[in-house]
Short mmCIF file of all heavy atoms in Angstrom, two decimals:
data_model
loop_
_atom_site.label_atom_id
_atom_site.label_comp_id
_atom_site.label_asym_id
_atom_site.label_seq_id
_atom_site.Cartn_x
_atom_site.Cartn_y
_atom_site.Cartn_z
N GLN M 112 -3.90 -9.28 6.07
CA GLN M 112 -3.07 -8.90 7.20
C GLN M 112 -3.15 -7.39 7.48
O GLN M 112 -2.44 -6.88 8.34
CB GLN M 112 -1.61 -9.29 6.93
CG GLN M 112 -1.37 -10.79 6.92
CD GLN M 112 0.06 -11.15 6.57
OE1 GLN M 112 0.33 -11.69 5.51
NE2 GLN M 112 0.98 -10.86 7.48
N GLY M 113 -4.03 -6.70 6.74
CA GLY M 113 -4.25 -5.28 6.99
C GLY M 113 -3.30 -4.34 6.29
O GLY M 113 -3.24 -3.15 6.63
N ASP M 114 -2.54 -4.82 5.29
CA ASP M 114 -1.61 -3.94 4.59
C ASP M 114 -2.37 -2.89 3.78
O ASP M 114 -3.17 -3.23 2.90
CB ASP M 114 -0.71 -4.77 3.67
CG ASP M 114 0.35 -3.92 3.00
OD1 ASP M 114 1.41 -3.71 3.61
OD2 ASP M 114 0.11 -3.46 1.86
N ALA M 115 -2.11 -1.62 4.07
CA ALA M 115 -2.88 -0.54 3.45
C ALA M 115 -2.64 -0.44 1.95
O ALA M 115 -3.56 -0.13 1.19
CB ALA M 115 -2.55 0.79 4.13
N ASP M 116 -1.39 -0.66 1.51
CA ASP M 116 -1.12 -0.61 0.08
C ASP M 116 -1.92 -1.68 -0.66
O ASP M 116 -2.47 -1.43 -1.74
CB ASP M 116 0.38 -0.82 -0.19
CG ASP M 116 1.22 0.37 0.23
OD1 ASP M 116 0.73 1.51 0.12
OD2 ASP M 116 2.36 0.16 0.67
N ALA M 117 -1.97 -2.87 -0.08
CA ALA M 117 -2.72 -3.96 -0.71
C ALA M 117 -4.20 -3.63 -0.76
O ALA M 117 -4.86 -3.86 -1.78
CB ALA M 117 -2.48 -5.26 0.05
N LEU M 118 -4.74 -3.09 0.32
CA LEU M 118 -6.16 -2.76 0.35
C LEU M 118 -6.49 -1.67 -0.68
O LEU M 118 -7.53 -1.73 -1.34
CB LEU M 118 -6.56 -2.31 1.75
CG LEU M 118 -6.50 -3.41 2.83
CD1 LEU M 118 -6.65 -2.81 4.21
CD2 LEU M 118 -7.57 -4.47 2.58
N THR M 119 -5.60 -0.70 -0.81
CA THR M 119 -5.80 0.34 -1.82
C THR M 119 -5.85 -0.26 -3.22
O THR M 119 -6.74 0.06 -4.02
CB THR M 119 -4.66 1.38 -1.74
OG1 THR M 119 -4.64 1.96 -0.44
CG2 THR M 119 -4.85 2.47 -2.78
N HIS M 120 -4.89 -1.13 -3.52
CA HIS M 120 -4.84 -1.75 -4.84
C HIS M 120 -6.01 -2.71 -5.08
O HIS M 120 -6.56 -2.75 -6.18
CB HIS M 120 -3.51 -2.48 -5.02
CG HIS M 120 -2.40 -1.59 -5.48
ND1 HIS M 120 -1.90 -0.57 -4.70
CD2 HIS M 120 -1.72 -1.54 -6.66
CE1 HIS M 120 -0.94 0.05 -5.37
NE2 HIS M 120 -0.81 -0.51 -6.55
N LEU M 121 -6.37 -3.47 -4.07
CA LEU M 121 -7.49 -4.39 -4.22
C LEU M 121 -8.78 -3.64 -4.53
O LEU M 121 -9.57 -4.06 -5.39
CB LEU M 121 -7.67 -5.24 -2.96
CG LEU M 121 -6.65 -6.35 -2.77
CD1 LEU M 121 -6.71 -6.90 -1.35
CD2 LEU M 121 -6.87 -7.49 -3.77
N GLY M 122 -8.98 -2.52 -3.86
CA GLY M 122 -10.15 -1.70 -4.15
C GLY M 122 -10.18 -1.24 -5.59
O GLY M 122 -11.20 -1.31 -6.27
N ARG M 123 -9.02 -0.78 -6.07
CA ARG M 123 -8.94 -0.31 -7.46
C ARG M 123 -9.19 -1.45 -8.45
O ARG M 123 -9.92 -1.28 -9.43
CB ARG M 123 -7.56 0.30 -7.73
CG ARG M 123 -7.41 0.86 -9.14
CD ARG M 123 -5.96 1.11 -9.50
NE ARG M 123 -5.15 -0.11 -9.50
CZ ARG M 123 -5.15 -1.00 -10.48
NH1 ARG M 123 -5.94 -0.84 -11.54
NH2 ARG M 123 -4.38 -2.06 -10.41
N ILE M 124 -8.58 -2.60 -8.16
CA ILE M 124 -8.71 -3.74 -9.07
C ILE M 124 -10.17 -4.16 -9.22
O ILE M 124 -10.67 -4.38 -10.32
CB ILE M 124 -7.85 -4.92 -8.56
CG1 ILE M 124 -6.35 -4.61 -8.77
CG2 ILE M 124 -8.22 -6.22 -9.27
CD1 ILE M 124 -5.44 -5.55 -8.03
N PHE M 125 -10.86 -4.27 -8.08
CA PHE M 125 -12.25 -4.74 -8.14
C PHE M 125 -13.21 -3.63 -8.57
O PHE M 125 -14.26 -3.92 -9.15
CB PHE M 125 -12.66 -5.34 -6.79
CG PHE M 125 -12.14 -6.73 -6.59
CD1 PHE M 125 -10.96 -6.95 -5.90
CD2 PHE M 125 -12.79 -7.82 -7.14
CE1 PHE M 125 -10.45 -8.24 -5.74
CE2 PHE M 125 -12.30 -9.11 -6.99
CZ PHE M 125 -11.12 -9.32 -6.28
#
Side-chain angles (χ1 to χ4, degrees):
Q112 292 177 249
D114 184 85
D116 288 327
L118 293 169
T119 301
H120 275 66
L121 285 166
R123 182 195 62 78
I124 288 167
F125 281 96

